[in-house]
Every structure is written in structure tokens, then in C-alpha cells.
């Protein structure tokens, strides 16, 4: 079961790919017409990613999982209320620990929806409520297409970040429309998509790597990396670790106080504490025009790797503590 979480392999190919992409962007950054071409290619790849995501999501699973509204309310409140409050509190770390662009990145990270595939895999390993996790993570991802831009507009107006209604339209066209198309065509292509899941993961990861290359190429062209020291990078990693620890503690112990079962607590733990790289990277390119995008997405990239490593270890430990398989519940 642990193989469901790629980061449990010491040399995760995806992590290596991200680091290699950053290195290529540092040595051979794209510029001019080439950068424009890569930008459009990344948008098309992201659209394809969400199309395949829509084709994978079972409507029956979604309907069954919706019955457990308390579970979904707890996860969404953690994702879109508690996390943003922590992001706003992190303003106190500027300028002595974080620079303004890094803080914008931390705050943006806190406004993002939950990751889907990783959180569901983690819940599965820990023998938690898988149907509930599927619905909550999926709902978080879809709501994030609308909620995250609104939260950005509300929280970043004082940070010099511009926001326009056209950004929402761009996000809808890039993320929601392909997802809806995948749902519509699922009855015809859903089986084929599941049968070729491993091969299609290359599309998922390739799309993210393209966005990473574009973002870091822009950073190199703008010379923003000269302002990032090793000390700042280590401080940012520490902030991400503390942020994750606070949310993990809230979701695990808070859900116990609220009377949730073990299965539901596991879903709340992993769906509430993780953030989506697949949604966050392409959305950032639309929401932050003219901003140092490389520095803004850096906290998300660090947090994403930390969350997978830490949560994978927690999921494995929880699985060992369950003597026998726990039946999955949806209500």
C-alpha cells in the first residue's frame, strides 16, 4: 500500500524532475518568443491535466461521499479559513525572516485548495474514509478555482498585488472548462483513462514541470534570484514546516474533540493539511502578472515536498496502529 505514495521512494522521480527543471531554467532560461511558446504549451498541458482529472472522477463516488456533510465542512473550513488566517499571521515574519515576495508566496500557499491524488492516497494508506476523501479533495479543488482568486483579492490588496475580474475568467477557461469537458466525456473515455492511468501520469507531471520551467525562467530573466540567500531559503523551509505542523495538530486533535471517527479524522488530517501544486502553479501565472512569480511559487514548491514526506510517514505510522483493516464509512 505504501507504494501508492511516490515520495516514499527515496529518489522520487517527480522530485528529481522538479529539481532538474529548476537547474535547467537556471542554466538555460527561456526568453522572448521561446518563453512565450513554453507559456502557451504549459497552459495547454494544464488544461489537458484537468480534462483527465474530470474524466477520472466517478459521479457515483461523488454522490455517495456528499452524504457526510460534517466531514466536508471541517475540511473546507481548515483549507479556506484556518489556513488563510495562518497566512495573514505570517506577515509578522516580514522583513526579519521573509522578504515581501516570499511572504506573498506563503500567503498564496495558504489560500490554495487541497491536493487531490496525494491526499486520497494518504487516506488509503492510513485506512481512512476513502469516499469522503475523494469528495472533499475534489470539492476543495473545484471550489478553489473561484475561492482562491477571491481570497487573493481580499487579502493581498495591501501587498501591492493587482487583481482583475479577467483573471477569474482565465482561470475558469484554463481549469474548470477542461474539467467539465472531462466529466461530460467520461462515459465514453473513463474506462480508457483508468486503464492507461500510469502512462497518463506523465501528462500530469509534465504539465507541472512546464509551469515550473516557465516560472523559474522568468525569475532568471528578471534577476530575482540574486536576492535569495541560503539563509532565506532555510528560513522559508522552517516556516513551511511550522505551518504544516500547526495544521496537522489542528486537524487531528480538533477532529477528535468534534467526535469524528478514526476514518473521518484521517480524511480531515490529510485533506485539510495538504495544498495543491497542480492548481497553485498555473493559477499563480494568471493571478500575479508582473510579479516575481518564481519567488512567489517557491513556498508552494517547498511546502508540497515537505507535506508529502511528513504525511507519508504519518500515514505509514497510522496504518501500523490499526490492527485490522478498518471498514470505510461515508456517514
Amino acid at each position: 500500500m505504501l507504494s501508492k505514495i511516490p515520495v516514499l521512494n527515496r529518489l522520487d522521480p517527480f522530485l528529481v524532475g522538479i529539481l532538474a527543471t529548476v537547474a535547467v531554467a537556471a542554466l538555460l532560461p527561456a526568453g522572448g518568443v521561446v518563453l512565450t511558446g513554453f507559456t502557451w504549451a504549459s497552459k495547454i498541458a494544464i488544461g489537458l491535466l484537468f480534462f483527465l482529472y474530470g474524466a477520472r472522477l466517478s459521479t457515483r463516488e461523488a454522490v455517495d461521499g456528499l452524504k457526510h456533510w460534517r466531514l466536508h465542512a471541517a475540511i473546507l473550513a481548515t483549507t479556506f479559513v484556518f489556513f488563510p488566517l495562518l497566512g495573514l499571521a505570517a506577515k509578522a515574519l516580514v522583513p526579519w525572516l521573509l522578504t515581501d515576495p516570499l511572504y506573498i508566496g506563503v500567503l498564496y500557499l495558504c489560500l490554495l485548495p487541497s491536493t487531490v491524488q496525494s491526499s486520497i492516497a494518504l487516506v488509503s494508506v492510513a485506512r481512512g474514509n476513502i469516499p469522503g476523501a475523494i469528495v472533499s479533495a475534489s470539492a476543495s479543488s473545484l471550489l478553489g478555482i473561484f475561492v482562491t482568486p477571491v481570497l487573493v483579492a481580499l487579502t493581498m490588496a495591501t501587498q501591492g498585488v493587482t487583481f482583475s475580474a479577467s483573471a477569474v475568467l482565465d482561470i475558469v477557461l484554463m481549469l474548470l472548462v477542461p474539467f467539465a469537458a472531462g466529466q461530460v466525456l467520461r462515459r465514453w473515455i473513463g474506462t480508457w483513462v483508468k486503464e492507461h492511468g500510469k502512462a497518463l501520469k506523465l501528462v500530469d507531471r509534465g504539465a507541472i514541470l512546464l509551469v515550473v520551467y516557465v516560472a523559474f525562467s522568468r525569475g532568471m530573466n528578471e534577476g530575482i534570484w540574486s536576492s535569495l540567500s541560503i539563509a532565506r531559503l532555510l528560513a522559508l523551509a522552517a516556516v513551511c514546516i511550522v505551518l504544516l505542523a500547526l495544521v496537522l495538530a489542528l486537524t487531528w486533535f480538533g477532529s477528535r474533540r468534534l467526535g469524528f471517527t478514526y476514518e473521518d479524522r484521517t480524511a480531515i488530517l490529510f485533506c485539510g493539511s495538504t495544498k495543491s501544486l497542480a492548481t497553485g502553479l498555473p493559477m499563480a501565472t494568471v493571478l500575479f502578472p508582473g510579479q516575481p512569480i518564481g519567488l512567489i511559487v517557491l513556498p508552494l514548491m517547498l511546502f508540497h515536498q515537505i507535506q508529502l514526506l511528513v504525511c507519508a510517514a504519518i500515514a505509514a505510522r497510522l496504518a501500523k496502529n490499526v490492527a485490522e483493516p478498518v471498514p470505510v464509512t461515508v456517514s
Side-chain angles (χ1 to χ4, degrees), residues 57-310:
L57 181 63
S58 169
T59 304
R60 178 175 297 179
E61 288 177 337
V63 172
D64 289 342
L66 283 173
K67 299 175 183 177
H68 201 348
W69 65 269
R70 289 183 67 243
L71 172 67
H72 309 314
I75 292 173
L76 292 176
T78 303
T79 301
F80 295 118
V81 178
F82 184 69
F83 246 120
L85 290 176
L86 288 178
L88 291 172
K91 179 65 175 177
L93 302 177
V94 180
W96 63 279
L97 196 61
L98 298 176
T99 62
D100 285 325
L102 289 179
Y103 168 67
I104 291 175
V106 170
L107 179 56
Y108 175 63
L109 154 71
C110 293
L111 307 181
L112 287 171
S114 172
T115 185
V116 178
Q117 294 177 348
S118 297
S119 59
I120 294 171
L122 290 163
V123 172
S124 176
V125 169
R127 298 173 180 173
N129 185 344
I130 299 173
I134 291 173
V135 174
S136 284
S138 301
S140 175
S141 182
L142 292 177
L143 286 173
I145 295 175
F146 304 100
V147 175
T148 295
V150 171
L151 291 176
V152 167
L154 293 175
T155 60
M156 296 193 181
T158 60
Q159 304 299 321
V161 177
T162 58
F163 179 82
S164 65
S166 63
V168 177
L169 178 60
D170 290 340
I171 291 170
V172 169
L173 292 175
M174 186 166 55
L175 305 182
L176 184 59
V177 171
F179 173 85
Q183 277 281 284
V184 171
L185 297 177
R186 185 181 182 279
R187 60 179 298 182
W188 294 286
I189 66 173
T191 301
W192 183 87
V193 169
K194 286 188 176 181
E195 290 176 349
H196 297 81
K198 291 184 178 180
L200 292 175
K201 282 184 179 179
L202 295 175
V203 176
D204 297 2
R205 297 185 172 190
I208 294 173
L209 293 179
L210 268 175
V211 176
V212 170
Y213 179 72
V214 169
F216 278 77
S217 289
R218 288 178 179 173
M220 291 300 299
N221 293 336
E222 296 167 2
I224 61 175
W225 299 112
S226 60
S227 64
L228 184 64
S229 64
I230 296 297
R232 290 285 191 187
L233 185 60
L234 293 175
L236 177 61
V239 170
C240 291
I241 292 171
V242 172
L243 183 64
L244 178 61
L246 289 173
V247 180
L248 287 172
L250 170 78
T251 51
W252 185 247
F253 296 107
S255 60
R256 182 172 65 182
R257 290 292 300 270
L258 292 173
F260 285 98
T261 64
Y262 166 82
E263 299 93 332
D264 291 343
R265 290 176 65 199
T266 304
I268 294 170
L269 178 72
F270 295 124
C271 294
S273 61
T274 56
K275 291 294 184 178
S276 175
L277 186 70
T279 301
L281 285 179
M283 194 178 289
T285 63
V286 177
L287 292 175
F288 303 106
Q291 299 289 328
I293 189 68
L295 291 179
I296 290 175
V297 301
L298 183 60
L300 173 60
M301 293 174 59
L302 277 177
F303 187 87
H304 181 76
Q305 300 305 324
I306 293 170
Q307 77 183 9
L308 292 181
L309 291 170
V310 172

Side-chain angles (χ1 to χ4, degrees), residues 5-44:
I5 308 176
V7 292
L8 288 181
N9 300 319
R10 289 189 176 181
L11 291 177
D12 174 24
F14 186 43
L15 174 58
V16 173
I18 289 178
L19 295 176
T21 301
V22 172
V24 171
L27 297 173
L28 299 170
V33 177
V34 176
L35 180 58
T36 301
F38 273 113
T39 299
W40 278 105
S42 67
K43 291 181 179 180
I44 293 172

